Amino acid sequence: MNDWYNKIGSAFPKTDYRSCNFNGDWTKHFINDYVDSIFNSGIMKAQEELAANKNEHLPKSLFKFYPPSPYSLINIENRALYLSSPRDFNDQFDSYVCIEAEKFKKYYLLKRLKELNLRSKNEEEGKVSEKEYYEIYHSGTRETDPPIYLNKARPKHFIFTLFDIRKKKSRHLSGLLYEIVEEARRECRKKIDYLRNMEFRISCFSNFKDEAELLKNTTMWSHYADNHRGFCIKYKMDFKNVSNENSIRCGFFPVNYTCKVPRLSPRELMKLKFNNDELVLSRSVLKTAYKTMITKSTSWDYEKEWRLIISKYDSDILVNNSIPFLDIEAIYVGSKTESNFRKYLVQFAAKNNIQIYQARLSNEKFELRLHELFLNSLEEEEFRNRRNLIAQLDNKNDKEEKIKKLSKEKCK
């Protein structure tokens, strides 16, 4: 049995989510175990126990695009990684916790009718009858009408059901029903806003299988490297030289591209309580929050994204929202990168024994080509450009003096 599994490169049977041959969604199983362990034992113990469970799923390297900014250079100089808030991302639905708000209102109203003893067996103006209560219970809450299956009629929407019931009630009860629904709306909004703005920090990468895939994906260069003016870093997924290894391992996830959004259960949201303006999370809600952060629309699947997610439980490892990070394997300079910026990157690469390449437009296809950069060839190119400019001067003496000066600078 062990020999057979070793042949396909896994230490686990394919029914175990730790196996690279697992057929299901391993991230879902990991998140469930991870959150349960956080609640049972705390973040440190959870990471110690579960970090190795991702070993067979982590890629050998990941690519990250950077704009041509001083902050980008500071990060690579310091071997650091900056993590952003999801609220700053270009996808408005990124990490957007979804909830059926109308269903929340309906459940909230039903719960309050019980608590306030406003149900009665018979029809009366001052209470809601059993028949009316179950009309509310079975009413629809979808934002859009569901498709008609067979000959089933669509259920009447919750709002219209409640409107019809309120018309038959006393002025006091009608107003009270309206106030309860408004109270439900405010509570749902307050809780869901809290969850959508939780203290998670994220950094995004692309899992290209090789440089060829990097060069074909010109859209990524346009979006995330400032229209090819920036650069791309290839990080080696080797954790031997990084601190907080367990936190980083446990924080890495591939993004799942799908048409179905993870939804928070309205009943679960109702159970959550605020304590000193902080929402006390349950296990199921935290699991849904994690799954939301690694789920995006299929329209973004060209990004082939992996994410590093650092939660509020690990916020102590962040310094100015940055962490020490993995070693750089290679640097790819954009086709429009400004010469001084490119020179700085080449000098950095030479100093740290890192391969660096220039991306240039192909003459034959809608893709880029790579050319290795060397510091001496870059300096030689700069020397030739300056000499060509001097050669355009009209004054012969100026030409001679400037060329002598340029040659001395080169010798130095």
Side-chain angles (χ1 to χ4, degrees):
M1 183 68 74
N2 288 335
D3 290 340
W4 186 81
Y5 284 123
N6 286 337
K7 286 180 183 177
I8 59 172
S10 178
F12 308 99
K14 62 181 181 180
T15 54
D16 190 323
Y17 80 81
R18 293 174 292 179
S19 171
C20 58
N21 302 304
F22 183 66
N23 290 325
D25 181 2
W26 67 266
T27 61
K28 179 179 72 174
H29 295 277
F30 180 87
I31 288 170
N32 289 340
D33 284 355
Y34 188 46
V35 172
D36 286 341
S37 187
I38 289 173
F39 273 79
N40 292 336
S41 310
I43 189 74
M44 297 293 289
K45 192 71 173 176
Q47 291 173 351
E48 185 180 328
E49 291 176 349
L50 298 174
N53 288 8
K54 288 186 177 180
N55 284 352
E56 294 191 10
H57 298 291
L58 292 175
K60 293 182 179 178
S61 57
L62 286 172
F63 295 82
K64 184 171 180 64
F65 293 89
Y66 286 91
S69 71
Y71 301 106
S72 300
L73 298 181
I74 290 169
N75 274 333
I76 66 167
E77 276 281 5
N78 294 332
R79 306 297 196 277
L81 180 75
Y82 181 82
L83 293 97
S84 305
S85 166
R87 300 283 67 80
D88 298 330
F89 292 164
N90 56 355
D91 179 7
Q92 289 288 294
F93 288 99
D94 205 308
S95 307
Y96 191 77
V97 179
C98 290
I99 183 77
E100 289 186 63
E102 294 300 306
K103 186 176 283 189
F104 181 94
K105 294 176 190 176
K106 181 174 81 171
Y107 288 161
Y108 189 94
L109 174 62
L110 294 171
K111 180 170 77 78
R112 293 293 288 150
L113 289 175
K114 284 183 179 181
E115 292 171 350
L116 297 172
N117 193 27
L118 290 174
R119 291 172 59 185
S120 68
K121 289 186 177 181
N122 304 315
E123 294 272 353
E124 54 180 285
E125 286 190 349
K127 290 191 176 184
V128 173
S129 69
E130 289 287 337
K131 179 177 177 292
E132 292 165 337
Y133 182 90
Y134 285 105
E135 283 178 3
I136 295 172
Y137 182 86
H138 292 293
S139 62
T141 55
R142 296 278 297 273
E143 284 186 356
T144 54
D145 289 331
I148 299 176
Y149 294 105
L150 301 176
N151 293 320
K152 288 185 178 179
R154 296 186 178 102
K156 186 187 287 188
H157 196 275
F158 163 66
I159 292 299
F160 297 120
T161 301
L162 183 61
F163 179 77
D164 290 342
I165 292 172
R166 286 180 60 212
K167 286 195 299 183
K168 298 183 288 184
K169 301 303 173 185
S170 67
R171 187 173 180 179
H172 171 74
L173 181 59
S174 178
L176 181 60
L177 293 175
Y178 175 81
E179 280 301 319
I180 291 172
V181 173
E182 280 297 294
E183 186 180 286
R185 183 189 63 78
R186 289 191 295 269
E187 180 171 319
C188 182
R189 173 56 56 189
K190 184 179 179 181
K191 289 179 177 179
I192 209 70
D193 282 350
Y194 181 94
L195 293 173
R196 287 172 180 168
N197 292 282
M198 283 192 296
E199 296 175 14
F200 284 90
R201 308 294 295 191
I202 296 175
S203 190
C204 307
F205 305 81
S206 289
N207 183 22
F208 299 133
K209 61 184 178 181
D210 51 29
E211 277 78 5
E213 193 170 10
L214 165 71
L215 298 174
K216 288 178 182 176
N217 201 324
T218 56
T219 305
M220 293 293 287
W221 283 94
S222 297
H223 286 178
Y224 301 107
D226 191 21
N227 195 24
H228 299 259
R229 295 184 184 89
F231 59 101
C232 180
I233 296 288
K234 183 180 183 181
Y235 287 103
K236 189 175 183 181
M237 295 288 279
D238 184 346
F239 298 87
K240 64 184 179 183
N241 295 326
V242 69
S243 59
N244 302 307
E245 174 184 346
N246 289 340
S247 297
I248 294 175
R249 280 183 182 273
C250 287
F252 264 122
F253 294 95
V255 168
N256 178 33
Y257 298 100
T258 177
C259 296
K260 293 178 66 177
V261 297
R263 285 198 186 115
L264 199 60
S265 161
R267 294 188 191 276
E268 286 293 330
L269 188 63
M270 280 173 56
K271 292 177 185 176
L272 301 185
K273 304 296 180 187
F274 279 95
N275 182 17
N276 295 327
D277 294 327
E278 183 174 349
L279 196 62
V280 181
L281 304 183
S282 66
R283 297 180 189 221
S284 62
V285 170
L286 185 57
K287 288 173 184 178
T288 301
Y290 262 105
K291 291 166 189 173
T292 298
M293 284 183 282
I294 59 169
T295 303
K296 294 181 74 172
S297 164
T298 51
S299 60
W300 296 91
D301 61 0
Y302 66 90
E303 293 184 342
K304 299 181 178 295
E305 188 176 347
W306 273 66
R307 293 188 155 185
L308 176 61
I309 301 172
I310 301 297
S311 73
K312 65 176 184 177
Y313 305 101
D314 250 345
S315 57
D316 61 291
I317 71 173
L318 294 168
V319 178
N320 295 324
N321 294 317
S322 297
I323 57 169
F325 199 54
L326 304 169
D327 289 336
I328 295 173
E329 188 174 343
I331 301 174
Y332 307 92
V333 182
S335 59
K336 292 183 181 178
T337 302
E338 193 267 334
S339 58
N340 284 338
F341 199 92
R342 179 181 60 175
K343 183 177 180 181
Y344 182 93
L345 290 172
V346 172
Q347 289 173 336
F348 171 81
K351 184 171 63 176
N352 294 279
N353 197 28
I354 297 170
Q355 288 183 304
I356 183 167
Y357 301 91
Q358 172 74 62
R360 294 175 183 167
L361 275 63
S362 168
N363 291 318
E364 301 172 2
K365 298 180 180 180
F366 290 125
E367 60 184 51
L368 302 168
R369 289 283 183 263
L370 287 184
H371 300 267
E372 191 165 4
L373 290 174
F374 300 96
L375 185 58
N376 57 353
S377 60
L378 195 68
E379 290 172 345
E380 183 64 34
E381 179 186 341
E382 187 178 293
F383 173 78
R384 287 197 305 271
N385 289 338
R386 291 178 67 186
R387 189 175 60 185
N388 289 339
L389 289 172
I390 293 171
Q392 296 173 26
L393 295 174
D394 294 329
N395 189 289
K396 183 178 179 181
N397 292 331
D398 283 346
K399 283 184 186 179
E400 291 176 355
E401 289 299 318
K402 284 181 176 289
I403 287 175
K404 284 180 183 179
K405 184 179 179 182
L406 183 64
S407 298
K408 287 181 180 179
E409 287 179 9
K410 184 183 178 184
C411 291
K412 288 181 182 179

